[in-house]
Amino acid sequence: MTASRDVVFGSIRRALGSTGKEAPRVQDVADRIAGHPRGVIPARAQLAPAARLDLFKAMVEAAAATLDHLPDAAAVPDAVAAYLRDRNLPMTILRGGDARLANLPWHTQPTLDVWIGASDGRQLAGLSHAFAGIAESGTVVMLSGPDNPSTLNLLPDHHLVVVNAADVTGTYEDVWTSIRAVYGPGTLPRTVNWITGPSRSADIEQTLLLGAHGPRSLHILLVGDAPAVDLT
């Protein structure tokens, strides 16, 4: 801890009349961290799987993103190629090392040039695989790492994101529960990015500008149907 932080925290403790080492206070903090209390859950996200998926799609489009609902993962290469062609973009896509993306039938699109790795800002289009989607806000959740580098979330002008329909949850709290189940107690990815629509800002004269701090276009490739039984 730095000297300046020592001064700040020392001032707070003096104002509270506390050392920070009292057993009840330490136990309260430990219980809070271990208990993972959930916040207020919006009623609109407490839906059956099919209705939850419909809400996710509606909220994605309400956030100014676009969406293709595909029957299965095998349709992803065709959808990526169609997206690039429809926007007169080079037939080149950069993706991470995610095995779910590596195992797609890219050979069905021989004119599509697929590169693998992190973005250095020179690529126009990037492809990632989301950990989850969130129905209440149309958000996609991205976990950092070589499988899906965070640079792909931020640097290309066009960000295409694959989301499995079975991974669409109702709320933010559901996703945190899933992440903890995958990574175990006390462990998280270095970065968890929550992306709702393309990058935007209205800082200058309240004029909305897309692509201000990241991709100007977010395109969701939703794969499969909602599960018959609620898995969240």
Side-chain angles (χ1 to χ4, degrees), residues 154-194:
L154 303 170
L155 298 182
D157 264 359
H158 298 262
H159 190 200
L160 287 71
V161 180
V162 178
V163 183
N164 290 332
D167 294 332
V168 174
T169 69
T171 68
Y172 290 74
E173 287 79 1
D174 293 334
V175 174
W176 284 121
T177 298
S178 297
I179 292 174
R180 285 192 291 266
V182 170
Y183 282 84
T187 304
L188 287 174
R190 182 175 181 180
T191 304
V192 180
N193 291 126
W194 307 70

Side-chain angles (χ1 to χ4, degrees), residues 70-125:
L70 308 176
D72 52 46
V76 168
D78 291 351
V80 170
Y83 178 92
L84 298 175
R85 277 196 302 268
D86 291 347
R87 290 157 180 80
N88 292 318
L89 294 170
M91 293 297 286
T92 301
I93 193 79
L94 177 67
R95 65 168 178 85
D98 195 306
R100 294 168 295 183
L101 299 179
N103 292 331
L104 295 176
W106 295 108
H107 65 275
T108 63
Q109 288 294 328
T111 62
L112 181 60
D113 196 7
V114 181
W115 291 75
I116 303 169
S119 174
D120 60 6
R122 292 183 294 176
Q123 298 79 23
L124 288 177

Side-chain angles (χ1 to χ4, degrees), residues 18-58:
S18 166
T19 67
K21 298 180 180 179
E22 295 85 353
R25 185 181 294 272
V26 171
Q27 188 62 50
D28 285 346
V29 172
D31 291 345
R32 173 81 181 189
I33 293 173
H36 309 303
R38 294 167 69 90
V40 177
I41 306 300
R44 69 176 181 178
Q46 299 178 40
L47 301 168
R52 188 167 60 226
L53 197 63
D54 288 340
L55 176 62
F56 174 73
K57 293 162 65 174

